[in-house]
Structures are given as C-alpha cells and as structure tokens.
C-alpha cells in the first residue's frame, strides 16, 4: 500500500508521517551546529534519545552527518526525505551505514529531512556490561571521568551526563 502525505506548514511533519516511525513523542532538532566537534557531540546526544529525532540537513553536509551517525550507530534506522512535495521527492528508509553508502555513491541534491529512530530501551545486561567495560577501559588509559564520559557518549550514542553518573557509581562499587 503506497502512502502519500499532503504538504503542511513544515517539512518535519511530512517526513515524520512518511517515515512510519513512532511519532507519539519526537524531538525536532532543526539544523545541527556548524562546527564538526559540536555537530559530532550533538549527533551522539541525539542517538542516545529514546524518542524519534527529526533534523534538517543541507546537501553539502549530508554525507558527513550520515557518516557520523553510521560510525556511532551503524544499524540505526534513518528515514531520509529529499525535496518533499516536489517533483523529485525521494524517501529512503535504511540503516545508517547503508544510507551513508548510498550517498557516497550518489551525490546529494536538494534539501533533506532526516528522521532518526529512537534508541531502544537499555534493558539488556550485555549492553550494560559493555558500557561499563568501555568506561573502565577509558579510565585505565588515564582519562579523567569527564573525558571518559564524553568519549563513551560519542562511541555509544548515550547521554554524557548519565555516563558520568555511572562512572561515579562504578567508583563507589
């Protein structure tokens, strides 16, 4: 069954409905920061959110943004919408790694809306053990708690403040 969405005042709502992702709660980011370090930190934070995230991206930064997401969470599902409600409208729903590869092979043209699937609830103990192991490894390499939390947040797509709190808990155990 084909789904069509009628244009409204914002591309984000059209993209959100076309994505088929949970729209009961979502976070609208707009455009990411211009500087690479701030953009990378923001991407990692967004990937740690338990809700669907929507952001706008320009064609000249799309490949870099998708590469950042794929590096942190290669299997995260993303709906990439291009030129919504126009003649060359395109909607792709793929894992981050596949979407990044698609735009490496095909130059991005037009304006984009990315709808990023929310992070699954952290219920698996294996994930918790891996998180703790990474945190302890970073501390073992000589990083302070703040740096270790920041590096782990970028690597795992989790909230830096929550990881810092977890480091304090590990220290007290």
């Amino acid at each position: 069954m084909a789904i069509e969405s009628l244009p409204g005042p914002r591309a984000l709502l059209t993209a959100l409905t076309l994505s088929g992702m949970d729209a009961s709660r979502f976070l609208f980011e707009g455009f990411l920061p211009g500087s690479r370090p701030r953009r990378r930190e923001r991407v990692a934070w967004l990937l740690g959110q338990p809700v669907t995230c929507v952001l706008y991206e320009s064609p000249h930064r799309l490949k870099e943004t998708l590469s950042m997401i794929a590096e942190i969470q290669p299997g995260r599902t993303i709906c990439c919408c291009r030129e919504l409600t126009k003649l060359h409208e395109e909607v792709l729903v793929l894992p981050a790694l596949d979407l990044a590869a698609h735009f490496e092979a095909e130059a991005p043209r037009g304006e984009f809306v990315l709808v990023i699937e929310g992070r699954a609830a952290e219920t698996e103990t294996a994930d918790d053990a891996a998180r703790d192991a990474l945190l302890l490894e970073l501390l073992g390499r000589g990083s302070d708690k703040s740096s270790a939390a920041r590096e782990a947040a970028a690597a795992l797509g989790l909230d830096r403040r929550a990881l810092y709190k977890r480091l304090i808990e590990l220290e007290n155990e």
Side-chain angles (χ1 to χ4, degrees):
M1 174 170 98
I3 298 175
E4 284 192 44
S5 181
L6 297 175
R10 299 275 178 233
L12 82 100
L13 295 176
T14 303
L16 190 60
T17 58
L18 287 171
S19 75
M21 294 181 193
D22 181 14
S24 60
R25 287 187 61 219
F26 65 92
L27 184 145
F28 174 59
E29 179 68 14
F31 286 95
L32 293 169
S35 78
R36 281 189 179 104
R38 290 189 57 224
R39 189 171 342 132
R40 183 169 194 47
E41 184 177 315
R42 195 64 185 170
V43 164
W45 183 83
L46 288 169
L47 292 174
Q49 300 310 301
V51 297
T52 301
C53 297
V54 182
L55 58 103
Y56 293 154
E57 195 52 272
S58 65
H60 67 276
R61 288 194 342 193
L62 180 71
K63 291 190 328 186
E64 183 178 0
T65 299
L66 290 173
S67 292
M68 283 181 185
I69 296 170
E71 185 180 311
I72 297 168
Q73 298 267 318
R76 183 68 64 95
T77 301
I78 301 174
C79 175
C80 181
C81 301
R82 179 178 79 88
E83 297 294 299
L84 289 172
T85 73
K86 298 177 186 168
L87 179 63
H88 300 289
E89 178 178 305
E90 181 180 26
V91 178
L92 298 170
V93 181
L94 296 167
L97 192 60
D98 295 342
L99 199 54
H102 172 80
F103 285 106
E104 283 300 324
E106 184 177 311
R109 295 176 58 187
E111 294 298 319
F112 292 87
V113 181
L114 299 178
V115 182
I116 304 169
E117 177 182 51
R119 174 184 53 84
E122 294 178 58
T123 56
E124 297 180 27
T125 57
D127 288 344
D128 293 342
R131 175 203 61 208
D132 291 351
L134 177 60
L135 289 169
L136 293 172
E137 178 186 334
L138 291 168
L139 284 179
R141 287 191 215 157
S143 295
D144 60 20
K145 284 191 285 275
S146 180
S147 297
R150 187 172 40 257
E151 284 184 57
L156 301 173
L158 299 175
D159 181 60
R160 177 187 50 82
R161 291 177 299 261
L163 291 171
Y164 186 85
K165 287 179 187 176
R166 181 61 186 149
L167 277 168
I168 293 171
E169 291 170 4
L170 288 170
E171 189 176 64
N172 294 329
E173 286 180 0

